[in-house]
Amino acid sequence: MQIRLLGHVEATIDDRPLALGGAKQRAVLAMLGLEPGRAVSADRLIEGLWGEDPPSSAAKMVQNYVWRLRGGGVEIVTHGRAYELRVDRERVDACRLERLVADAARGTGNGNTARAALALFRGDPLADVADEPFAIDEIRRLEELRLTAAELAIDGDLAMGRHRELVGELEALLATNPLRERLYAQHMLALYRCGRQAEALD
């Protein structure tokens, strides 16, 4: 099984897409997918789906969502009032992103690992469940990982002398992240190495 959260929520078995139901049911899979191999309490799932004002039937609805996901081929184990998604972390793109960014941060700086992390994104993370209460903090965290991966990739490319190819990418990143100081430093260096010293000083 593969779980994809860095875009619309998707799940496949042997490249066959699974039917995941509506937004709430997909959100349950997303919350479990962000913590594969760990028991996530029903209370946390309820809060993630409805915030501080859940319906009286919330627990039963969560059970129903889990039952339907199981029926679709997703392996979810019950632990009392908690649920665990049984899947290897490497088969969840968001978990693979975390590992690749950590590896890149410890690596030699060739940028390949960070570029591999960026390639996992198919769009905005958790795109089709972005309005669910749990998603706000998770989207912010995943977007931060994406920016960190971009910065690490750019560091690696600068070390390889690819400054000319980076100017446009850096300008696009700065247009959407104008307070990111590391990107400004990288942009200045790329411009300087391109012989554009006046722009770098500006």
Side-chain angles (χ1 to χ4, degrees):
M1 176 183 292
Q2 299 278 348
I3 306 289
R4 297 183 181 93
L5 306 176
L6 302 177
H8 284 69
V9 177
E10 297 176 357
T12 58
I13 295 178
D14 298 328
D15 295 325
R16 176 178 57 86
L18 302 183
L20 301 180
K24 294 290 188 192
Q25 189 167 304
R26 301 168 84 83
V28 168
L29 178 62
M31 284 186 278
L32 296 175
L34 288 164
E35 299 190 57
R38 298 178 185 168
V40 180
S41 72
D43 289 341
R44 274 188 60 199
L45 294 174
I46 289 169
E47 183 178 356
L49 292 174
W50 292 284
E52 297 179 357
D53 190 26
S56 58
S57 59
K60 184 62 72 176
M61 293 170 77
V62 167
Q63 289 176 352
N64 192 39
Y65 296 143
V66 169
W67 178 79
R68 289 180 183 173
L69 288 168
R70 283 174 176 152
V74 181
E75 187 177 357
I76 300 173
V77 179
T78 302
H79 299 283
R81 293 195 69 251
Y83 301 96
E84 174 197 348
L85 177 66
R86 287 282 176 90
V87 65
D88 189 298
R89 288 182 62 83
E90 283 296 302
R91 294 185 173 273
V92 181
D93 61 359
C95 297
R96 199 154 65 251
L97 171 70
E98 293 173 5
R99 198 256 310 159
L100 287 170
V101 171
D103 288 351
R106 293 191 299 266
T108 57
N110 64 14
N112 292 339
T113 303
R115 290 287 175 198
L118 291 172
L120 294 172
F121 284 88
R122 297 168 292 110
D124 295 331
L126 302 171
D128 52 342
V129 296
D131 292 333
E132 304 299 332
F134 87 95
I136 298 170
D137 290 339
E138 287 298 335
I139 289 171
R140 188 179 298 118
R141 182 180 71 85
L142 294 169
E143 289 288 7
E144 177 65 24
L145 284 170
R146 173 152 53 178
L147 269 174
T148 300
E151 291 168 342
L152 290 165
I154 290 165
D155 276 344
D157 288 343
L158 285 169
M160 298 290 287
R162 298 176 183 145
H163 41 272
R164 295 189 186 280
E165 298 95 317
L166 291 172
V167 173
E169 179 181 357
L170 282 160
E171 288 172 353
L173 285 167
L174 283 167
T176 53
N177 302 279
L179 302 179
R180 199 81 176 185
E181 292 185 7
R182 186 173 178 182
L183 291 176
Y184 277 107
Q186 292 171 327
H187 191 215
M188 289 165 61
L189 181 58
L191 288 171
Y192 174 77
R193 289 182 177 175
C194 288
R196 296 160 65 179
Q197 287 91 338
E199 291 175 74
L201 284 170
D202 284 343

